[in-house]
Amino acid sequence: MICAIVTTLILVEARGSETDSSRGEATAAALRLSYALRREPVPRRIDGTPGVMLQVMDEDRRVIAGTPGRAPALRPLARFVPSQTRVYSSRKVCSPVRRDRCLWVIGFRVFKPGGDWLIYAAVPIVPWYVSPGLIMFLASVSLLVILLGCLRAWATVDQTLAPVDAIRTELAEITAYRSGRRVTVPESRDEIRRLAEAANATLDRLDSALERQRSFTSDASHDLRSPIAAARAQIEEALLYPDDVDWPRTARSVLQSLERLQAIVTDLLQLARLDAAAWQEVETIDLGALVTIEVARSERTKRIVPHLQEGVTVRGDRLRLVRLLTNLLDNAERHAESRVDITVAREGDTAVLEVVDDGAGVAEKDRDLVFQRFARLEDSKARDPGGTGLGLPIAREIARLHGGSLTIEDSERGARFVLRIPRNHGGGPGG
């Protein structure tokens, strides 16, 4: 584009300069011939400026003289005549003598006693390309500049992309062999450095996810093995002494192990569905009404005190929000001394649900730990040995899928679980 613009400007300037020069030469040749006609007879042959065609016409508008090759019998270069008030005039005409191109013609009126004569001076119109040599020269220079620019751009891009290729190679090696490695971060402060840092951040998250998956698999295997091993041991012991076994009591013990196994499998399936973001029908839900219904529906061993603000609605899956509330109430009931407070309120465009118990609370260092899968504090194990350690992780995952958050915040006494969900959230994975 730059070469085309520069070439156009040069051609415009060269054509203007060439046009002005040729017209100036034609005007000067016509003036010289006009001066000569006043002093001497008209010659049959006029030797003028090279490139300028001249003709002399008498008062009868007959060609009586011209430049070599312009015999008097030839037709005139032009037909226009300067007006009586002007000595000369000029026009662009297509000459009948040279029909292959147009000419710029200037006509002068010369006074003679028998009548005014006319002098025509003509030069060819300068074409847009001025001359073949000039256009070829400019085209050659433009192509050379473009070629040099392409070579320079190729070298620059190749040099710039070399670190990208190195990052790609390292990522391929990490994918093929083992995790834990990181790509080399270049020293330059540019987009390549940010690409390497973003790749390392992605690898960090992947390694973290793999570690959580390994931990989850290990914990799930351990928690599933415990009730199975307990039930197997009881049955094997009963089979060793079948006549001395209290079979109803043994059956009840095995049934307890199966119930714990069923609870773990149910929670694992629920987490799998949450990870897959399989949603039911999304609807507008009044949190206050949902709390009222759930508190009235279930019997609790501790006193439930609701503090509900009307008109606090969210968009989401009703069954999952019920599961979230139930998990929070079950957890609060296990740790409360005598009372659990539930608060529903509106904070701007956010719906807030709080569940506060009057128990011992959760230490600040353990507030993130309790939301990890299968993680259980010592106090929780003592109060509920049959728990799965999946209730709070499920509740947090449900909050996340609704575009919200579930955290433990400071309170005067006990644990204070706070759920925040945007009221204008779309109510589905990704909103």
Side-chain angles (χ1 to χ4, degrees):
M1 289 180 65
I2 293 175
C3 288
I5 292 173
V6 172
T7 299
T8 302
L9 293 176
I10 291 175
L11 288 175
V12 170
E13 181 64 25
R15 184 173 184 272
S17 177
E18 183 68 18
T19 298
D20 293 340
S21 175
S22 61
R23 291 181 180 181
E25 292 177 354
T27 302
L31 289 174
R32 288 194 296 270
L33 180 58
S34 173
Y35 181 74
L37 289 179
R38 294 187 179 95
R39 299 179 56 189
E40 55 190 34
V42 179
R44 297 284 296 177
R45 176 187 177 91
I46 302 175
D47 295 325
T49 304
V52 179
M53 294 174 284
L54 297 171
Q55 276 187 350
V56 179
M57 301 178 67
D58 60 13
E59 63 274 9
D60 296 327
R61 304 297 179 258
R62 292 176 302 175
V63 178
I64 60 175
T67 53
R70 300 287 184 264
L74 294 178
R75 300 174 64 183
L77 290 172
R79 296 292 184 182
F80 68 91
V81 178
S83 63
Q84 295 291 336
T85 59
R86 300 190 61 182
V87 177
Y88 71 94
S89 63
S90 61
R91 292 183 186 178
K92 175 183 176 182
V93 298
C94 290
S95 172
V97 178
R98 298 286 302 274
R99 294 182 178 275
D100 58 331
R101 58 179 174 174
C102 294
L103 303 173
W104 182 84
V105 181
I106 182 171
F108 278 87
R109 185 187 293 273
V110 180
F111 173 78
K112 288 291 185 179
D116 292 341
W117 288 13
L118 292 178
I119 297 176
Y120 288 117
V123 289
I125 296 292
V126 180
W128 64 268
Y129 53 85
V130 183
S131 68
L134 178 61
I135 192 66
M136 290 298 297
F137 172 76
L138 293 176
S140 301
V141 172
S142 297
L143 290 176
L144 179 61
V145 172
I146 292 172
L147 178 61
L148 294 177
C150 290
L151 292 175
R152 178 59 181 171
W154 187 4
T156 302
V157 171
D158 189 61
Q159 181 181 3
T160 302
L161 294 181
V164 177
D165 189 62
I167 293 174
R168 182 198 59 79
T169 302
E170 290 184 288
L171 287 175
E173 293 177 356
I174 293 171
T175 303
Y177 298 104
R178 61 186 179 87
S179 61
R181 288 181 53 189
R182 297 295 180 267
V183 300
T184 304
V185 178
E187 297 181 357
S188 59
R189 300 281 180 178
D190 55 10
E191 290 79 3
I192 307 301
R193 180 185 180 89
R194 290 194 288 273
L195 174 63
E197 292 173 347
N200 286 337
T202 302
L203 292 174
D204 289 339
R205 293 189 63 183
L206 288 175
D207 285 347
S208 178
L210 288 173
E211 185 61 31
R212 288 197 304 270
Q213 184 180 18
R214 296 189 190 102
S215 177
F216 175 76
T217 303
S218 175
D219 293 340
S221 301
H222 178 271
D223 278 50
L224 289 172
R225 186 171 60 248
S226 297
I228 294 174
R232 181 185 180 89
Q234 290 169 343
I235 293 176
E236 289 178 347
E237 182 181 357
L239 290 176
L240 288 175
Y241 308 99
D243 297 334
D244 300 332
V245 173
D246 184 354
W247 285 103
R249 183 166 173 261
T250 301
R252 286 192 296 270
S253 298
V254 173
L255 184 60
Q256 289 178 356
S257 297
L258 292 177
E259 287 176 349
R260 173 170 168 75
L261 183 63
Q262 183 180 16
I264 294 174
V265 172
T266 300
D267 285 345
L268 287 174
L269 289 175
Q270 179 65 25
L271 282 173
R273 293 190 187 100
L274 292 175
D275 290 339
W279 281 79
Q280 304 297 327
E281 183 178 356
V282 176
E283 57 183 304
T284 301
I285 302 165
D286 189 316
L287 286 184
L290 184 143
V291 170
T292 300
I293 294 172
E294 289 305 309
V295 170
R297 183 181 63 84
S298 59
E299 295 183 359
R300 300 285 176 179
T301 59
K302 307 294 170 60
R303 180 188 174 196
I304 308 297
V305 181
H307 311 274
L308 309 178
Q309 181 179 348
E310 295 182 358
V312 181
T313 60
V314 295
R315 293 281 295 170
D317 187 328
R318 179 180 294 276
L319 293 179
R320 289 186 172 174
L321 289 177
V322 169
R323 180 63 185 272
L324 184 154
L325 175 62
T326 302
N327 288 3
L328 293 181
L329 288 177
D330 290 344
N331 179 77
E333 188 178 21
R334 281 195 301 269
H335 297 88
E337 295 294 336
S338 61
R339 171 173 170 162
V340 176
D341 289 86
I342 304 177
T343 303
V344 173
R346 183 188 304 107
E347 292 182 359
D349 292 333
T350 303
V352 180
L353 184 147
E354 295 184 5
V355 177
V356 184
D357 62 66
D358 59 353
V362 181
E364 187 172 354
K365 62 183 179 63
D366 296 327
R367 290 181 179 178
D368 288 331
L369 177 64
V370 297
F371 290 107
Q372 296 181 10
R373 299 177 180 184
F374 292 107
R376 302 187 67 199
L377 303 180
E378 293 300 327
D379 181 65
S380 176
K381 293 179 181 179
R383 289 176 177 269
D384 183 18
T388 64
L390 295 175
L392 292 179
I394 289 175
R396 171 170 276 189
E397 189 67 16
I398 293 173
R400 184 188 67 81
L401 291 178
H402 282 79
S405 63
L406 178 61
T407 57
I408 301 177
E409 299 184 3
D410 296 334
S411 62
E412 295 181 358
R413 183 181 179 185
R416 177 172 168 239
F417 288 81
V418 181
L419 168 69
R420 289 185 170 85
I421 299 178
R423 299 181 64 237
N424 56 354
H425 189 261

